[in-house]
Each structure stands twice: as structure tokens, then as C-alpha cells.
Amino acid sequence: MEYKNSERFLIAYNRIDKSLMKITDLPNHFSFSKKIDRAKSQHALVAHYEDDLREFGSLRNAIVHNRTGFDYAIAEPHDEIVKLIESIDERLSNPVTVKDLFAGKVHTVQADESLATGLRLVREWKINQLPIYKKGQFIGLITADGIMNWLADQETDCISREIPTLLDVHNHEKRRKTYRFVKSTMSVYEAEGFFRKSILSGKRLQALLITEQGGKDEKLIGIITPLDLLKIDE
């Protein structure tokens, strides 16, 4: 059975409305616009498509309130509009998870390994975050800032004579908590929201560390940086 564009539009609209209710915990009698207001601060996808969603609300009202018969809608959406609202519905209902996109081999380092070892990994794998462990326990990230801070604190004559460990470098990280552990089922839009909120709060995150349940004592299965999220095709 082939549905009209207006019918497909209303089905997707109603599904999005239910998704907004789930995100916001608002009851059904709140308007679609109110749900968007609440959801946009909690969900990056809603924030990204805020203007489109508000236009969908107006179009829905035109279709529903001006209908003159069961088989006639005064406003019949264009194909592009229907494809867009169905795409947003799909992405809200079945979001891509961080595990889907970012799970893979994670290069970690040990506290007693040398800075040279860490720099070799940075060069070979084009990465800028190195999770560091000591006796099997996660203790933080080695970052480019930390390496620069270590260099700045050295006497010029001593830099080439001493071989620092990665723990030495980590001790020069000015901001230790630049990461957050997240569970593998988190959507990529929630992940984007974490980075966005960290910027607004002035405590910028440099990485999200993925484990199955979001615990720091679990095996690390992926890392997300803000640059990684910029590569996602909206």
C-alpha cells in the first residue's frame, strides 16, 4: 500500500513527538514546541534540527486542522520534506551509538614507559590522546598540552640527558580531568552534547573514553575526540 506524503509525514511526526516525550519526560499534553524547547538542551540532534522541527510543527497543524475530508489534506508535503522528517525520526528512534562508530583498537601506555614510546605511538597512529595505566589501573590521559608543559618545566641542558617516563609527563598535566567515561550504547548525539556542554561550562573535555558499561575499570574499547565528531556527516 502506497501512502500519501501527508500520511507519511504525520506518522513520522507522531513518532518524533513520542521520542521528544521520552527525552524530556514531559507529558503528552505539552505542545510540540515546548517539547523542542526542553529537548534541545538535552539532545544534540534536536538542537541541530530545531528550526526544521518547528516548521514541521506548523506544517502538521496545517495538515490536521485544515483537513476537509478523510482523503484530502490542504497541505501536501514535498518529497524532500517527507524524506527529512523520516530521517530525523529514524535517527531519534534508532540512534547510532558510540560503539557503532568509534569502537576499535585503543593504544594505551604504561606509567613506566618512556616519553619516546608515547611519541612513537602519536607519530605512527596520528593520535593526540594516550590513556595511561599504572599496575592495571587507569590514571589519566597524556596530552599534547602535558608534553609541552613537561618541556617548559625542564632546564634546557637537561632535556637531552634524561629519559622521562610517561608518568613524569602526566604529572605535568595542568588539567587532569579532561575526559569522561561513557557506556558503549550512548548515541553519538549524546556524546556531542557532552562536548558542547563542557565548552559552555569552561571545563572543556578532550576525550570520551568508551567502555561497555561506562566504568573506568572496564576494558577501554574506544576513544572519541571533538575532532572525531566533526567528521560525522550530519
Side-chain angles (χ1 to χ4, degrees), residues 21-146:
M21 288 171 59
K22 184 177 180 180
I23 292 169
T24 62
D25 289 327
L26 289 175
N28 189 46
H29 68 266
F30 273 72
S31 69
F32 192 69
S33 180
K34 289 287 186 183
K35 292 169 188 171
I36 294 171
D37 288 338
R38 178 76 63 86
K40 69 180 182 181
S41 64
Q42 302 176 39
H43 202 292
L45 183 66
V46 177
H48 181 78
Y49 286 107
E50 178 184 359
D51 292 341
D52 293 300
L53 290 170
R54 293 191 188 282
E55 290 185 5
F56 294 158
S58 298
L59 180 54
R60 177 262 181 191
N61 290 338
I63 294 173
V64 171
H65 298 306
N66 295 303
R67 186 183 290 272
T68 57
F70 289 110
D71 298 323
Y72 176 75
I74 195 170
E76 196 69 31
H78 293 294
D79 291 344
E80 293 77 11
I81 295 298
V82 174
K83 289 178 182 177
L84 177 58
I85 193 172
E86 289 179 337
S87 172
I88 296 173
D89 166 39
E90 175 64 24
R91 294 163 79 176
L92 281 174
S93 302
N94 302 292
V96 177
T97 69
V98 293
K99 184 176 183 178
D100 292 334
L101 290 187
F102 299 108
K105 181 175 176 58
V106 180
H107 299 282
T108 63
V109 293
Q110 300 301 313
D112 58 358
E113 291 186 285
S114 70
L115 173 58
T117 298
L119 292 176
R120 190 178 306 116
L121 285 173
V122 170
R123 182 175 63 254
E124 290 179 0
W125 295 99
K126 305 294 189 296
I127 53 180
N128 56 13
Q129 312 285 345
L130 289 173
I132 179 173
Y133 287 78
K134 183 177 183 179
K135 296 181 179 179
Q137 298 295 312
F138 176 83
I139 61 174
L141 292 176
I142 300 290
T143 67
D145 287 343

Side-chain angles (χ1 to χ4, degrees), residues 151-167:
L151 286 170
D153 289 342
Q154 307 307 302
E155 294 183 16
T156 306
D157 294 339
C158 298
I159 291 178
S160 60
R161 298 176 186 175
E162 298 181 2
I163 302 177
T165 66
L166 288 169
L167 182 59

Side-chain angles (χ1 to χ4, degrees), residues 96-99 182-188 190-191 194 208:
V96 177
T97 69
V98 293
K99 184 176 183 178
V182 298
K183 62 171 56 178
S184 61
T185 55
M186 173 182 285
S187 78
V188 292
E190 289 180 88
F194 274 127
L208 295 178

Side-chain angles (χ1 to χ4, degrees), residues 196-232:
R196 188 194 309 274
K197 290 175 183 176
S198 76
I199 294 173
L200 295 175
S201 70
K203 298 178 180 178
R204 186 167 186 170
L205 288 172
Q206 297 200 40
L208 295 178
L209 308 177
I210 308 169
T211 59
E212 286 296 342
Q213 299 301 320
K216 72 174 185 177
D217 295 328
E218 300 176 76
K219 180 181 178 181
L220 196 58
I221 61 174
I223 298 180
I224 313 172
T225 68
L227 183 59
D228 292 326
L229 289 175
L230 288 176
K231 298 175 183 177
I232 297 176

